[in-house]
Amino acid sequence: MQKVKNMLKIAICDDEIMIASQIENMLEKISNTIVRKVEIDVFYDGSTLVNHIKEGMRYDLIYLDIEMKKQNGVDAARELRIIDNKVLIIYVTGHEGFAKEVFEVSAFRFITKPIDIDLFEKYFKDAITQVSRAPQYFQYQYNKISYRLSIDEIMYFQSDRRITYIITKSGSEKCYGKLNNIEKSLIDKNIFFYRTNQSFLVNPKFVSVYMYDSMRLMDGTTLSISENRRKNVSKLFCMLKGDDIIV
């Protein structure tokens, strides 16, 4: 008999009862197929979800509608991110376009209504992979001493001749190595950063606003995207956030 893995805790928040029920049914069906036990809570407004999390509940994955009457999904996500910056958020929206504010809460994927079943299953499996993934680290050397940093702590790399600066939420570190080699080492580990130009390599987790020729990070830093890299950045953005996104 195949062993059942650890339970996945999921919240669904959508003020359309039929949509919430559809998502719940699809999750149960897929989880049974892949032998992954899930525990699902359903909410019909953002404030109730946020209050539940404030009371101590933690989820691995949240399906969150953007437009809801009592509290919209963006405002709800801003509140819950203060409490939990690890939970994966998949936005479910009736619009192909969406407000740039959603980047502030580091959404994992976006799904448009009506929901494509195949795409829904793919994103759910992507989320399981992400939740199950062990912490990843970037290892480097400086002054003959070896160090390592959690990938989740790195905002971006900035190269300056022979030295590359590793900018984190709490400061910066230095390492030897070319940005091209760092980028390749990350890709080899299936870790993808935006290469905005020759000198910057940016962690998607910290991007709050993405535009065609620039991106703004959560600390307010704005980085330009060079013309010859815009196509690759856009392609990676769509791969990470969902093929249906229109910016």
Side-chain angles (χ1 to χ4, degrees), residues 113-172:
K113 303 174 184 178
I115 297 173
D116 181 295
I117 297 175
D118 292 334
L119 192 63
F120 183 92
E121 181 173 350
K122 178 183 183 302
Y123 289 170
F124 179 47
K125 289 179 179 178
D126 288 346
I128 291 175
T129 299
Q130 183 73 13
V131 170
S132 304
R133 184 177 293 165
Q136 295 174 300
Y137 296 91
F138 174 69
Q139 297 182 337
Y140 63 97
Q141 283 194 336
Y142 188 71
N143 287 339
K144 298 182 179 180
I145 300 176
S146 296
Y147 301 90
R148 76 171 189 171
L149 275 173
S150 169
I151 294 295
D152 286 341
E153 296 297 315
I154 299 173
M155 295 178 63
Y156 60 90
F157 296 90
Q158 179 180 2
S159 66
D160 184 8
R161 300 178 184 178
R162 293 181 60 250
I163 301 296
T164 293
Y165 293 87
I166 309 169
I167 310 302
T168 69
K169 293 184 291 186
S170 57
S172 66

Side-chain angles (χ1 to χ4, degrees), residues 170-202:
S170 57
S172 66
E173 306 291 339
K174 297 178 182 179
C175 74
Y176 296 122
K178 295 180 179 179
L179 212 57
N180 287 344
N181 293 336
I182 293 173
E183 183 179 24
K184 184 179 183 305
S185 70
L186 292 173
I187 291 174
D188 288 344
K189 296 177 182 178
N190 206 34
I191 301 171
F192 298 96
F193 275 42
Y194 295 123
R195 186 67 180 272
T196 58
N197 54 52
Q198 189 62 29
S199 301
F200 287 90
L201 196 57
V202 182

